[in-house]
Amino acid sequence: MDHMLTPKQAAARAGCGRSSIMRALKSQSLPAIRDNENRWQIDPDALDRWAGHRPDNDRSMTEHGPATPSDTQTDTPETLARLAVAEARLSDALSRVEDLQRERDEWRAQAQALTRQPGWLDRLLGRT
């Protein structure tokens, strides 16, 4: 227990994201302590035990240690197709947002023009 790990270092060692480490710390499934500066300190042995019990451990570890981005195969044809669909939907949504903003600005201009004109009651009572 001579060299403790930060959550970022633990995530790199376990082959997962820092948010996974932080969730494990919050749920206390990964034991750790806080130092005098309120930073998490994680024992490497405890991390290894925790990582060994993770359900997706076989995908995050390689025979030489934690998986690196080049070790994982995330660019499968299905993933690329889903990404293309998501990008197209995002583009459509952004276009729709621009249209809605333009319509909002037109309605705002009309409303402001109407509030500047005296109403029929003002004209009737001579408050023009």
Side-chain angles (χ1 to χ4, degrees):
M1 221 168 97
D2 52 13
H3 178 67
M4 303 294 272
L5 302 171
T6 66
K8 183 177 179 179
Q9 293 167 333
R13 180 174 175 147
C16 64
R18 183 179 176 278
S19 59
S20 297
I21 297 293
M22 297 308 293
R23 279 192 303 272
L25 292 174
K26 184 176 182 181
S27 70
Q28 298 179 347
S29 62
L30 175 59
I33 58 171
R34 287 191 182 256
D35 64 12
N36 290 339
E37 296 176 0
N38 205 28
R39 292 181 299 199
W40 286 108
Q41 298 294 310
I42 303 167
D43 179 20
D45 295 331
L47 175 68
D48 292 340
R49 284 191 301 276
W50 174 80
H53 289 88
R54 292 185 68 215
D56 60 343
N57 185 42
D58 57 333
R59 285 182 277 144
S60 64
M61 297 295 286
T62 65
E63 63 183 69
H64 303 294
T68 61
S70 62
D71 293 335
T72 59
Q73 296 182 359
T74 57
D75 292 340
T76 62
E78 177 186 347
T79 304
L80 293 174
R82 291 176 66 188
L83 177 62
V85 168
E87 287 175 342
R89 294 175 91 185
L90 176 61
S91 176
D92 290 343
L94 291 174
S95 175
R96 181 69 179 137
V97 166
E98 289 174 2
D99 291 344
L100 290 171
Q101 288 173 336
R102 192 172 21 261
E103 286 180 24
R104 176 206 60 200
D105 293 340
E106 291 171 1
W107 282 108
R108 180 179 290 150
Q110 286 182 8
Q112 288 173 345
L114 288 174
T115 58
R116 289 187 205 116
Q117 297 175 358
W120 66 270
L121 186 59
D122 292 327
R123 289 190 302 263
L124 180 67
L125 298 175
R127 292 187 272 177
T128 57

